[in-house]
Amino acid sequence: MTKTGLLDKYLEAREDMVRLLKDRGIADERVLKAMLQVERHLFVPIPLRNHAYDDAALPIGEGQTISQPFTVAVMTEALHVNEYDKVLEIGTGSGYQTAILAAMGIRVFTIERISSLLKTARQILESLNVKFVSKTSDGTIGWKEFSPFDGIVVTAGAPEIPKTLIEQLKVGGKLVVPVGSLDFQQMKVVTKLNENNEFEVADKADFKFVPLIGREGWHENDG
Ligand code: SAH
C-alpha cells in the first residue's frame, strides 16, 4: 500500500510488529501479509506516529482508541473469511481494521457512531484508495440493506451478544464480538448454525475495549 517504497521509514518497525504477532500465535498468512502492508502510522494522530508499531492501543480522539495490533489480528483471523466475502465492521474508529480487511480483498461495510471519527477515517482510507462503504449510525442494529454478511466484527465491548447481528449473518458466518463488563471482555466467536438464528459460541482470550454504545449495547449513562 505504500507509495513511497524505499522511503518507507516505518517498514522495519512494521516487520518487527508482524514478527511479534507470529510469535504471539497469529498463523493466518493473509492476515500477516495485510498487517505488513497497511501503514498503521497513517491511522494514528501525528504526535503518536513513533508508537504506531508498538503492540498497543492508542488514543484517536473522542475518548476512543485504535485497537492494539494483536487484537486486530486475532479478530481478523477469527472471522475466517475469504477474498470477495462481505464483512460488516461495527466501530470504524481510525479505519485501521477497515484497511486490513480491504487489503485481504474483503468487501467491507463499516459503521461508526461518532461522525467526526468517521470523517477522519474516510479521509485517510480514501487517500490510500481503500474501497469500503460506511455510515454514521448505531452499529448494534447492523446494516440490513447489505445483509446477509459472511462475517461481522464488533470492535467495541458489548454487554451481551447483539442478537440482531446474528440475524444479519449468512448461515455458517461468524460474528466476532468482545462481551463482558465495562472493564474487560472475553472475545466470543459466534457461528450462525441455521436460518432460525441458532448459534454456537467459542470463547477466546480476554481483552479491553472501549464500550459498544447503542440499542443492543451499553447505554450512554451506564457505568
Ligand atoms: N476498529 C477501530 C476500533 C476503534 S475503537 C480501529 O481499528 O481503530 C471502537 C469504536 O467503536 C469507537 O470509535 C466507537 O466510537 C465505536 N462505537 C461504539 N459503539 C458503537 C456503535 N453502537 N456503533 C458504531 N460504532 C460504535
Side-chain angles (χ1 to χ4, degrees):
M1 194 169 283
T2 174
K3 295 189 195 100
T4 44
L6 292 174
L7 295 175
D8 181 2
K9 71 169 187 164
Y10 292 103
L11 181 59
E12 250 178 67
R14 209 153 50 246
E15 286 170 345
D16 289 346
M17 178 189 82
V18 170
R19 247 190 305 277
L20 181 79
L21 295 174
K22 265 192 201 172
D23 290 348
R24 292 193 68 181
I26 305 299
D28 188 332
E29 287 296 335
R30 300 165 312 159
V31 175
L32 295 168
K33 189 172 161 224
M35 295 195 67
L36 188 60
Q37 201 182 330
V38 176
E39 296 172 289
R40 189 171 188 260
H41 63 275
L42 301 178
F43 294 86
V44 306
I46 290 170
L48 297 177
R49 279 199 174 165
N50 284 337
H51 294 285
Y53 298 100
D54 297 354
D55 194 18
L58 296 169
I60 56 170
E62 306 286 349
Q64 308 304 319
T65 54
I66 177 172
S67 302
Q68 187 183 347
F70 178 64
T71 310
V72 173
V74 166
M75 295 185 97
T76 309
E77 189 169 61
L79 276 172
H80 276 285
V81 284
N82 296 305
E83 209 175 346
Y84 309 120
D85 278 356
K86 266 166 62 179
V87 168
L88 177 65
E89 176 192 22
I90 314 301
T92 320
S94 66
Y96 179 68
Q97 170 83 70
T98 313
I100 294 293
L101 291 165
M104 293 169 67
I106 287 157
R107 291 180 288 157
V108 194
F109 299 80
T110 184
I111 305 176
E112 170 56 54
R113 63 179 281 273
I114 302 175
S115 61
S116 60
L117 291 181
L118 185 57
K119 185 167 175 239
T120 306
R122 272 182 181 152
Q123 281 166 355
I124 297 165
L125 291 165
E126 281 162 13
S127 75
L128 295 170
N129 280 323
V130 175
K131 299 281 173 277
F132 63 101
V133 182
S134 63
K135 70 169 174 180
T136 300
S137 184
D138 171 12
T140 65
I141 54 171
W143 202 342
K144 197 154 194 270
E145 187 186 344
F146 292 110
S147 68
F149 298 96
D150 297 284
I152 300 179
V153 59
V154 180
T155 70
E160 54 191 65
I161 297 168
K163 298 297 180 300
T164 303
L165 297 182
I166 298 175
E167 290 166 17
Q168 296 185 15
L169 268 182
K170 288 184 190 169
V171 172
K174 292 187 194 306
L175 162 65
V176 180
V177 54
V179 176
S181 65
L182 285 166
D183 294 326
F184 74 95
Q185 305 84 28
Q186 185 173 39
M187 193 71 75
K188 307 263 180 198
V189 182
V190 181
T191 306
K192 175 164 169 166
L193 297 175
N194 53 40
E195 289 296 352
N196 297 330
N197 297 304
E198 288 174 309
F199 59 90
E200 65 183 20
V201 183
D203 292 333
K204 301 266 187 184
D206 286 345
F207 291 87
K208 165 117 189 76
F209 284 81
V210 295
L212 179 74
I213 297 171
R215 204 167 84 191
E216 294 191 36
W218 296 99
H219 301 294
E220 207 88 55
N221 44 7
D222 284 341

